[in-house]
Amino acid sequence: MQLAYSADTGAYPFEINQIGDVAGAEIIGLDLSEPIDTATRDAIMRAFLEHHVLVFRDQDLTKDQQAAFSKNLSLIHISEPTRRTPISYAVFCLK
């Protein structure tokens, strides 16, 4: 198993199953409850650019683990609210 996406071989450190004719792929073989390294993050982003929608099935994540994964991919940005009403920030996980 290679640790980074290779443009030459098209290899990823996980399995990818295309699930749609136009967009969508299922990522298999990653435990998102554990921190991911830079090479895996880059491979996920490359897969996202290639398939546009990624599905990570059967992940048992806490809110903190889910936020850490999303922050690692720069998918969320948490900032201070600018209004008096408290705002909840959430990352959604479909099962």
Side-chain angles (χ1 to χ4, degrees):
M1 176 186 313
Q2 288 186 303
L3 294 179
Y5 173 79
S6 168
D8 297 331
T9 64
Y12 287 96
F14 43 78
E15 209 177 316
I16 299 179
N17 289 333
Q18 187 168 340
I19 57 176
D21 292 334
V22 177
E26 176 182 19
I27 303 297
I28 300 169
L30 284 181
D31 179 359
L32 301 182
S33 67
E34 298 295 326
I36 59 172
D37 60 24
T38 302
T40 302
R41 183 202 62 212
D42 292 348
I44 292 169
M45 293 307 294
R46 178 68 185 137
F48 177 71
L49 292 172
E50 185 177 336
H51 297 281
H52 311 293
V53 175
L54 298 178
V55 176
F56 300 88
R57 296 189 196 277
D58 303 320
Q59 300 291 324
D60 187 21
L61 305 175
T62 65
K63 289 179 183 179
D64 290 339
Q65 289 168 326
Q66 195 170 21
F69 172 71
S70 297
K71 273 183 85 170
N72 193 12
L73 295 179
S74 300
L75 296 178
I76 62 172
H77 173 73
I78 298 175
S79 61
E80 294 297 319
T82 57
R83 57 184 186 173
R84 293 182 199 191
T85 306
I87 299 173
S88 286
Y89 295 94
V91 179
F92 295 98
C93 180
L94 302 175
K95 290 189 177 187

